[in-house]
Amino acid sequence: MMRFMLHENQLPRIPLSREINYLRNYLDLQMLRFGAQANLETEFQINENQCAGEIAPMLLIPFVENAFKHGISSKEKSWIRLNLRCIAGSVHLDLVNSVHPDKPASEQSREESGIGLENVKSRLQLVYPDRHQLNIIANDTDFFVHLSIQINTK
């Protein structure tokens, strides 16, 4: 994961398989941290069939990082559901996580620092203009992300 962050993260495009592999490693690491929590439900479906081509690095992971950062409470029931699949030259990420608006101040203060979503939105506009769709819907209990990117296939 460190090698990916230091080297491949700097490239304009990487194989989609490497991005998915990094995502899997990140999920494994987070499950080591949180997997024993009785109040956490997780469901990860990653279908790599038809996942070929290249993608700009680090476009998928910020959404997953945010799901773990904002979607898990140490005291309340929490969930993260991820579905990643590729269809005919495009990659699709659906992610839903629980929302905990009444977190203790100690948990909130360390979470209010992010600019990740705005950075991803800007990168998508620059790298994939008219070739992506990003829908984010939030309500009192869920935060839902749907991202579709038409990628370059070789």
Side-chain angles (χ1 to χ4, degrees), residues 63-103:
F63 300 107
V64 179
E65 288 174 340
N66 281 350
F68 279 94
K69 181 177 178 181
H70 300 291
I72 296 178
S73 169
S74 58
K75 297 178 176 49
E76 298 179 43
K77 182 176 168 89
S78 303
W79 56 88
I80 298 174
R81 295 181 192 96
L82 177 144
N83 186 343
L84 178 75
R85 66 212 173 279
C86 298
I87 304 169
S90 61
V91 61
H92 304 270
L93 172 70
D94 290 311
L95 182 64
V96 63
N97 60 266
S98 50
V99 173
H100 304 285
D102 297 324
K103 280 191 174 183

Side-chain angles (χ1 to χ4, degrees), residues 66 112 136:
N66 281 350
E112 300 299 328
I136 299 175

Side-chain angles (χ1 to χ4, degrees), residues 28-79:
D28 289 344
L29 185 61
Q30 294 304 322
M31 292 314 296
L32 288 173
R33 283 182 69 198
F34 299 110
Q37 280 189 219
N39 63 331
L40 175 62
E41 293 179 17
T42 58
E43 181 181 337
F44 307 132
Q45 295 180 348
I46 300 176
N47 184 347
E48 293 183 68
N49 294 340
Q50 303 179 21
C51 286
E54 295 184 331
I55 189 170
M58 305 298 289
L59 285 177
L60 305 177
I61 197 70
F63 300 107
V64 179
E65 288 174 340
N66 281 350
F68 279 94
K69 181 177 178 181
H70 300 291
I72 296 178
S73 169
S74 58
K75 297 178 176 49
E76 298 179 43
K77 182 176 168 89
S78 303
W79 56 88

